[in-house]
Amino acid sequence: MAERTIDTILENIRTRIADNNSGDISAADIRENMVDIADSILYNVSIADWSTDYQFLNDISLVVNTDPEQDNAERGGTLTVQSGIFFDTVDAKALGLTGSELFQTVPYPGPGEISHTNLKDLDVGNPHPQYLAVSGDSMVGHLGMGGYTVSGVEVDANWISSQGPFQANNTLGIYFENKQADIEHVHLGSGTILEFDVDHSIMKSAVGLAHAYIRFDATQGINEGEDITVLSSYNIHQIKRIDQGKFEIYFKSNAVFDHGDYVVVAHSNGTGDDGSIEDMDLVNAASVQRSGEVFSLVVQNDAGQYVDAKLNDIVVYGIPSGVTPPDLATVYVAP
Amino acid sequence: MAIYSLDELLRQLNTRLSDASSDFWTEDTIFYAQLDLAESILPIVQSGNFTGTYSFKNDVLAKKTVSVEKGLQFPTGKQTVPYPGTMSHSDFIGLENNDHPQYVTISGASMSGNLGIAGYIYSGGGDAEGKGITFRNISENEERFVIGEKTTLVFDNDKSSINSITGTVNGFISFDATTDPLTVNSSLNIEKIEHVSKGKFVLYFTNDLSGNYIAITNTNGTADLDISFAKAACSFRKPDSCGFVVQNQFNQYINSKTNDIIILSIS
C-alpha cells in the first residue's frame, strides 16, 4: 500500500466502493482502501493545515515515554519548531506585543543564563535611575572616592578632574584622604589651581593666607582683674601682658611653627576705634622675639616709653611645619 | 473493537480482509475492521514520530495549551523552562560589564554633563557627614562650595593647607595722596575713598565688615628707596567704613606718597 492524500483516499473509496457496483466490489477494494486510510494517517496529519483548517481544540501534551521497539529507548516530550512559536495569548497581547513581537524564535535559556550585555537598547533612555547618568545627573547621597583604610586595608584614592580617567598623571584635580575618623583632607593636585570665577582670582597655595592675627585693647579688660580686651583673634591661644607695653602672644597648639622665622606685622594706635578721624596718637609697635609657640609685641610712644595702646593689630604670616617652603628671596648687593 | 498500533492495524486489516478469506466475510468482519480503524486513528497519531518524515508541514494552532515534558527545540537551541514574562534584573549574567554607556562606572569615568550633588564627595572612610566637599544652593544665583567641617583643604603643590579662610584679607588699598585727585593703585573691597583733608581719608567698604576687624597700615612720604618718615593709622572703624590718617614725625597731617592698608575680618 501507499501513503495517500485524503483526496486520493476519498476518490478511491468513491470509485471502488460505489453504490452502483456493489456486485463488483471485491475484498481488495475494501481492504486496500482501509489500509490506505490507516497507512496515510500520519502522512495526512503531517501535511494538514493545523492553524486554519484544523486546530487543536484541546491541550496538547508531549510526554516522555519509552519505545518498546527501540529497546525501551526514551522518546517524546520535545516540541521542535523550525520557524518559531506564535504566542496568540491574552498575556502576550496585554504586554502590548504585536506582529513579529508575538513570535519566539530562539529558546529562552532560563534565569541565570541570559547575558545582560545581549539585551537590546542598553544605551537608550534611563532604565536605571539609581545610577548617575553620564550626560548629567544629580546625586542625592554621598559619593566616596577612596582614600581611606578599613580593617587595615588601604582603599586607593581616586581623582575628580576635568579629564577623569584620561589624565596622564595624578596631578590634576582633587582627591580625598581620610586621616582619622573625624579628619578628612581634600587635596588639590600639584598641577591644580583653585580659581574663583567671580573675578578669576586663583590660589595655588595657602601659604599667603594669614597664619594668625589678633586685635586687642591694652588699656582695659572686660572683666575685673583683666588688663587686656581681645577684640578679635584667629589661631591665637593666649595673650599675656608682661609689663606696660610688653606682651607675649601664644599660638594655638595646632598653629605653632617649628621655627621662629615667620613674619609679624603690627600696628598700634593710642586712640580707640570709636573716635573721629582725627584720633591718632602715634605709637610704635614691634615684634622682636619669635619662637614656634610664642612671639612678643612691644609698643612705645615717640618718647621711647612703653605704653599700653588702645588699638593693637597684629598679623602673622609664615610657613607652617610640613609645608614645602618656597624659595627664599635671593640677596642682591648693589655695587 | 480494539486499538492497534499502525503496524498492527495494517497487519489486522491485511489478514482479516484478505482475498483468501473474503468468502467467509460477514457484515461484522467489515464493521469491526472499520471500528478498529476509527478507534486506532488517534492512538496512531499520538504515537507517531512527527519529527522526521511526518513533521508538521504547516503551522499548528493549539486553541489551548501545549505541554511539553522535555522542552521546546528551536534551531538555535532547546528551551526547557518557560519564559516567565518578567525577569529579575539580578538573574542576568554579565551584570558587571559596562553595558550602559549612559551611566558613570564606579571604576572611573568622565561625565559629559553637569553633576549635581546633595551629599558629600569624600574618601568614603566612615560617616560622610562633614567630610570632603559639597555644594550648598543659597538662591537661584548663589551657590556655595562647601568644605566640610571635618575637612582641611591641602595644596599638594607645597602641602600648605587651610580649613578656614579667616586668614584671608578682606580688603586692601594702596594709594598715592600726593596727586590731585589721589590715585588708587590697587584695591579690594573698597568701594570709595574720600579725601577729607590733608592726611585724612575715609575708606568705604563694598561689603560691610564686622566692627572688630584687623587693620594694618603703612605709609611713606616717598615712592623711591628713600624714606620720608610718616606714620599711618586706621583710626575709627565702622562696619561700612574706616578712617585712614597719616602724620609726620611732628604730628602734622600730611598727604603721603605711598599708603597701604590691609584689613582682616572674621566676617
Side-chain angles (χ1 to χ4, degrees):
Chain A
M1 297 298 101
E3 293 170 349
R4 304 184 192 281
T5 65
I6 289 177
D7 289 343
T8 301
I9 290 172
L10 292 175
E11 179 61 26
N12 286 343
I13 290 173
R14 291 189 187 102
T15 302
R16 298 178 66 180
I17 316 180
D19 291 340
N20 57 2
N21 65 346
S22 57
D24 298 326
I25 295 174
S26 68
D29 292 329
I30 301 296
R31 184 183 67 249
E32 289 174 359
N33 275 326
M34 293 184 69
V35 168
D36 282 349
I37 292 173
D39 213 18
S40 301
I41 291 174
L42 295 180
Y43 170 70
N44 282 298
V45 167
S46 71
I47 64 172
D49 184 348
W50 292 99
S51 64
T52 53
D53 296 345
Y54 302 97
Q55 298 167 350
F56 287 96
L57 303 180
N58 285 298
D59 297 342
I60 299 172
S61 181
L62 282 69
V63 299
V64 178
N65 62 101
T66 56
D67 184 354
E69 297 181 2
Q70 298 289 334
D71 295 332
N72 290 325
E74 189 177 86
R75 68 178 181 182
T78 301
L79 175 62
T80 301
V81 291
Q82 291 189 335
S83 297
I85 294 179
F86 186 77
F87 285 86
D88 189 20
T89 64
V90 173
D91 289 343
K93 291 172 180 172
L95 290 174
L97 303 178
T98 59
S100 62
E101 295 173 331
L102 291 167
F103 261 100
Q104 180 178 343
T105 58
V106 295
Y108 165 65
E113 298 295 334
I114 295 179
S115 170
H116 183 266
T117 306
N118 290 336
L119 298 179
K120 68 176 184 178
D121 298 333
L122 285 169
D123 58 349
V124 176
N126 184 21
H128 293 297
Q130 69 270 42
Y131 299 128
L132 275 181
V134 72
S135 58
D137 216 331
S138 284
M139 283 198 71
V140 296
H142 306 299
L143 175 62
M145 293 298 299
Y148 62 94
T149 300
V150 59
S151 301
V153 178
E154 288 188 13
V155 179
D156 290 341
N158 298 293
W159 292 72
I160 298 175
S161 69
S162 62
Q163 299 180 65
F166 308 112
Q167 68 161 306
N169 50 55
N170 286 335
T171 62
L172 308 180
I174 64 173
Y175 65 95
F176 301 84
E177 180 187 11
N178 188 246
K179 306 290 284 187
Q180 295 177 21
D182 283 338
I183 298 178
E184 183 97 348
H185 282 186
V186 182
H187 289 263
L188 271 72
S190 57
T192 305
I193 296 172
L194 184 62
E195 178 173 350
F196 295 82
D197 275 358
V198 67
D199 59 0
H200 298 292
S201 59
I202 60 173
M203 196 169 177
K204 296 180 179 178
S205 166
V207 168
L209 296 178
H211 182 77
Y213 60 64
I214 184 171
R215 174 184 167 189
F216 66 94
D217 177 355
T219 63
Q220 59 181 346
I222 293 177
N223 302 312
E224 187 176 351
E226 295 179 348
D227 47 17
I228 295 174
T229 300
V230 175
L231 299 166
S232 181
S233 71
Y234 168 61
N235 274 347
I236 299 297
H237 166 62
Q238 187 180 58
I239 177 168
K240 185 187 296 181
R241 184 176 184 272
I242 305 300
D243 202 347
Q244 183 165 299
K246 298 178 181 178
F247 310 91
E248 285 182 349
I249 300 171
Y250 293 82
F251 295 113
K252 284 186 174 178
S253 59
N254 63 348
V256 296
F257 289 96
D258 58 2
H259 56 83
D261 297 324
Y262 47 88
V263 175
V264 179
V265 289
H267 162 272
S268 291
N269 192 15
T271 63
D273 67 351
D274 54 352
S276 66
I277 194 170
E278 293 85 4
D279 290 336
M280 182 174 185
D281 183 9
L282 285 176
V283 290
N284 299 307
S287 175
V288 181
Q289 294 181 326
R290 303 175 190 182
S291 70
E293 296 81 20
V294 60
F295 63 94
S296 69
L297 179 75
V298 292
V299 181
Q300 286 183 335
N301 61 17
D302 285 348
Q305 298 168 318
Y306 291 98
V307 295
D308 291 328
K310 184 74 176 175
L311 269 177
N312 302 276
D313 301 311
I314 299 99
V315 182
V316 178
Y317 293 90
I319 311 299
S321 62
V323 174
T324 305
D327 294 336
L328 291 176
T330 58
V331 178
Y332 174 76
V333 179
Chain B
M1 295 182 297
I3 296 174
Y4 297 112
S5 67
L6 177 57
D7 289 343
E8 180 59 20
L9 179 63
L10 292 173
R11 193 184 70 78
Q12 288 281 341
L13 293 175
N14 283 318
T15 302
R16 287 154 61 183
L17 301 179
S18 66
D19 293 340
S21 63
S22 61
D23 291 341
F24 304 100
W25 288 8
T26 65
E27 292 179 345
D28 285 351
T29 303
I30 297 176
F31 174 70
Y32 285 111
Q34 289 178 334
L35 287 180
D36 289 345
L37 172 59
E39 285 201 326
S40 296
I41 289 176
L42 290 181
I44 289 170
V45 171
Q46 179 192 38
S47 60
N49 182 355
F50 291 101
T51 60
T53 303
Y54 299 117
S55 59
F56 286 88
K57 307 299 187 300
N58 285 296
D59 295 339
V60 176
L61 173 62
K63 297 293 283 186
K64 291 192 174 179
T65 305
V66 176
S67 300
V68 291
E69 289 192 343
K70 293 190 74 174
L72 300 173
Q73 182 66 52
F74 291 83
T76 54
K78 195 168 190 177
Q79 176 176 339
T80 57
V81 293
Y83 172 62
T86 59
M87 294 180 62
S88 170
H89 186 266
S90 304
D91 287 337
F92 288 119
I93 59 176
L95 288 172
E96 68 281 4
N97 297 333
N98 183 18
D99 294 329
H100 293 295
Q102 67 267 52
Y103 296 124
V104 174
T105 57
I106 196 172
S107 59
S110 279
M111 296 214 44
S112 60
N114 300 321
L115 172 64
I117 184 160
Y120 283 90
I121 303 176
Y122 75 123
S123 66
D127 179 36
E129 201 61 36
K131 292 180 188 169
I133 61 171
T134 189
F135 299 85
R136 189 173 300 143
N137 184 255
I138 305 301
S139 66
E140 184 180 354
N141 293 314
E142 184 178 351
E143 183 93 350
R144 292 190 179 177
F145 172 72
V146 177
I147 296 177
E149 61 186 356
K150 300 171 184 172
T151 306
T152 298
L153 179 62
V154 178
F155 291 79
D156 277 2
N157 186 38
D158 57 2
K159 307 302 180 194
S160 60
S161 63
I162 56 173
N163 53 20
S164 166
I165 60 164
T166 302
T168 305
V169 169
N170 295 87
F172 61 69
I173 187 169
S174 178
F175 64 94
D176 178 357
T178 62
T179 60
D180 185 20
L182 62 81
T183 303
V184 175
N185 298 316
S186 179
S187 71
L188 172 70
N189 198 32
I190 305 294
E191 181 182 30
K192 182 174 66 176
I193 177 170
E194 178 185 1
H195 194 170
V196 177
S197 61
K198 183 179 286 188
K200 299 176 183 176
F201 310 88
V202 177
L203 309 178
Y204 294 92
F205 305 127
T206 305
N207 298 305
D208 287 0
L209 303 174
S210 69
N212 292 321
Y213 45 84
I214 314 295
I216 305 293
T217 59
N218 174 71
T219 189
N220 194 17
T222 68
D224 53 29
L225 277 177
D226 291 331
I227 184 170
S228 174
F229 270 117
K231 180 109 181 144
C234 179
S235 51
F236 76 85
R237 302 182 190 186
K238 296 178 180 177
D240 64 342
S241 62
C242 70
F244 186 91
V245 290
V246 181
Q247 288 181 342
N248 62 15
Q249 55 188 328
F250 307 111
N251 294 339
Q252 296 170 320
Y253 290 99
I254 58 170
N255 287 334
S256 185
K257 179 72 177 176
T258 303
N259 304 275
D260 302 313
I261 181 172
I262 60 171
I263 296 169
L264 296 96
S265 172
I266 295 288
S267 63

